[in-house]
Amino acid sequence: MSWVYPDPDQPEPVDHFDCLPDSVLLLVFNKIGDVKALGRCCVVSRRFHSLVPQVENVVVRVDCVISDDDCSSSSSSSDKSRALVGPFSNLFRLVFGGIVKPLQALGQFLGPKRSVLNETLNSLSSSSLFVAPGVGDDGEMDHGGVTHHSPTQVLRNFNEIRFLRIELPSGELGIDDGVLLKWRADFGSTLDNCVILGAASVINNGISPEFCFGNGDDNGSIPETFYTNGGLKLRVVWTISSLIAASARHYLLQPIIADHKTLDSLVLTDADGQGVLCMNRDQLEELRVKPLSASSASKRTLVPALNMRLWYAPYLELPDGVVLKGATLVAIRPSEQSASKNEVLDSSWLSNAFEEPYGTAAKMLVKRRTYCLEMNS
């Protein structure tokens, strides 16, 4: 910041920020968005400190996940830090705790030779986890008086949030290298819709068309080997695990939604881009006024009976040359939303669910033969 002396007889410096109206400063703060950077702005001046709580666009990035064992020694040294741990600070413990047992049981039931999630589930079962956003600029954990702030606690300083994005350090579902698994879910008081895109492997450029498409056109039909080699079982695991992860995220957003009545949009995603949960203003208001159907034991929102539509392609070549092997798209909606089993599906919400090139993959898949499934709550 530069200081200007306009008149020798007036030695007092002029702060150029003092010349800017509050509305312009708020535009700058809204462009910053990141809650940590905004926190640093608060200590610049009293004026900044009074304006930051009025920011409408806020991004909360959860830095890391640590085990309860790792934090027990530091938390015991400060009662204040223990008091700061809010409901959302247990995000990963609750999310992972909600999906570990169901998926382990599902894996035992289906009996695949090698579950995609085994390694992650085993590591998560060894210790409960929780979020620790309090990492200093030097990358070291702040073990001082203020540690382990939860997003719920941090956001209570903001009064007029309209657009909120919370980003986890990674997706909840551990998958093997090369496997593609992405999902997007929209919630009100319960699930409105969910789209899941998966592929057994992603093949880079340079693969010949003969290898990609095999023996001619398959007419969009699922080959018999899909049912006998574990392909269907794997997709069932992907679908159920994605639904559980989405409903666990939704359950944990309740205190934030209740505290911030000005919200127009809320997105809870992860740095890996594996899963995205979205809520618009109408859906947020629906959750506030309609009781949430939740499982208190598993800490997740209960989903209703569902209708599913599945599309499959043994090989799907995208315009950029990338090939998805065993590409699968699953579109999920509550049964009560379906007028009839023969309804025409609007594919726009499917293709818009993912960024490119995966949006194009969804558009290509919905042109293939559709398979219908049902799942009870």
Side-chain angles (χ1 to χ4, degrees):
M1 185 181 299
S2 61
W3 301 98
V4 177
Y5 297 86
D7 192 325
D9 297 329
Q10 185 182 0
E12 290 296 328
V14 175
D15 185 351
H16 288 290
F17 274 103
D18 288 339
C19 302
L20 297 176
D22 290 351
S23 58
V24 173
L25 288 179
L26 282 172
L27 285 175
V28 174
F29 291 152
N30 277 302
K31 290 293 184 180
I32 293 174
D34 180 73
V35 72
K36 280 190 172 182
L38 291 173
R40 297 185 182 103
C41 291
C42 280
V43 301
V44 172
S45 68
R46 290 181 180 179
R47 187 185 182 202
F48 282 18
H49 189 273
S50 65
L51 288 176
V52 166
Q54 302 177 40
V55 170
E56 297 180 344
N57 184 26
V58 177
V59 179
V60 179
R61 292 184 176 88
V62 178
D63 293 323
C64 65
V65 181
I66 62 176
S67 70
D68 286 341
D69 294 337
D70 292 338
C71 72
S72 59
S73 59
S74 62
S75 62
S76 62
S77 65
S78 174
D79 292 337
K80 183 177 180 180
S81 65
R82 191 181 299 111
L84 287 172
V85 179
F88 212 100
S89 64
N90 291 316
L91 176 67
F92 270 77
R93 182 182 64 183
L94 298 181
V95 170
F96 285 132
I99 68 175
V100 169
K101 291 182 180 179
L103 288 180
Q104 286 178 334
L106 180 65
Q108 294 173 359
F109 174 76
L110 295 175
K113 292 182 179 179
R114 185 172 185 269
S115 171
V116 175
L117 304 172
N118 276 348
E119 294 181 3
T120 299
L121 294 180
N122 290 336
S123 63
L124 294 175
S125 299
S126 62
S127 65
S128 59
L129 304 175
F130 77 93
V131 173
V135 178
D137 293 334
D138 57 357
E140 296 295 326
M141 183 65 63
D142 178 12
H143 293 295
V146 281
T147 60
H148 317 319
H149 287 285
S150 71
T152 303
Q153 292 287 342
V154 172
L155 292 173
R156 283 177 182 169
N157 296 321
F158 294 88
N159 306 318
E160 302 181 22
I161 301 178
R162 293 183 57 200
F163 307 100
L164 175 61
R165 179 183 178 90
I166 301 174
E167 186 176 294
L168 308 178
S170 62
E172 298 94 326
L173 309 178
I175 55 175
D176 291 338
D177 291 339
V179 174
L180 173 70
L181 180 58
K182 291 181 174 293
W183 58 265
R184 173 186 166 130
D186 287 72
F187 275 81
S189 61
T190 187
L191 180 70
D192 280 349
N193 61 71
C194 182
V195 190
I196 302 168
L197 177 66
S201 63
V202 179
I203 305 171
N204 294 325
N205 298 340
I207 305 300
S208 66
E210 293 77 14
F211 174 79
C212 295
F213 293 99
N215 299 323
D217 186 12
D218 58 7
N219 296 318
S221 301
I222 294 180
E224 186 66 28
T225 54
F226 181 78
Y227 304 100
T228 59
N229 66 2
L232 178 60
K233 292 181 180 180
L234 180 61
R235 271 66 180 183
V236 170
V237 172
W238 286 353
T239 301
I240 295 180
S241 58
S242 297
L243 285 171
I244 292 175
S247 61
R249 289 189 187 186
H250 180 253
Y251 179 89
L252 292 162
L253 289 172
Q254 294 177 80
I256 290 178
I257 295 171
D259 288 345
H260 299 277
K261 303 282 194 301
T262 58
L263 276 173
D264 286 337
S265 172
L266 192 157
V267 175
L268 177 53
T269 185
D270 53 76
D272 298 336
Q274 184 182 89
V276 181
L277 184 149
C278 299
M279 299 181 72
N280 60 33
R281 186 171 185 81
D282 292 339
Q283 292 166 331
L284 291 163
E285 188 60 28
E286 178 187 327
L287 178 59
R288 294 189 188 102
V289 301
K290 187 175 181 179
L292 178 71
S293 177
S295 170
S296 57
S298 57
K299 305 296 183 182
R300 65 178 184 268
T301 302
L302 296 179
V303 298
L306 303 171
N307 282 339
M308 304 184 182
R309 294 174 182 264
L310 181 145
W311 297 268
Y312 175 82
Y315 295 94
L316 191 70
E317 185 174 20
L318 303 182
D320 60 358
V322 173
V323 176
L324 304 182
K325 182 178 179 182
T328 309
L329 182 70
V330 181
I332 304 170
R333 276 179 168 167
S335 299
E336 61 184 16
Q337 290 188 12
S338 302
S340 69
K341 293 185 178 180
N342 297 322
E343 67 173 338
V344 177
L345 184 66
D346 179 11
S347 61
S348 62
W349 67 285
L350 299 176
S351 58
N352 294 332
F354 307 106
E355 296 180 354
E356 293 300 334
Y358 303 114
T360 297
K363 292 178 183 177
M364 297 171 67
L365 283 167
V366 296
K367 295 178 181 178
R368 301 175 65 85
R369 181 171 298 178
T370 304
Y371 294 81
C372 297
L373 306 88
E374 293 184 357
M375 178 182 293
N376 62 29
S377 59

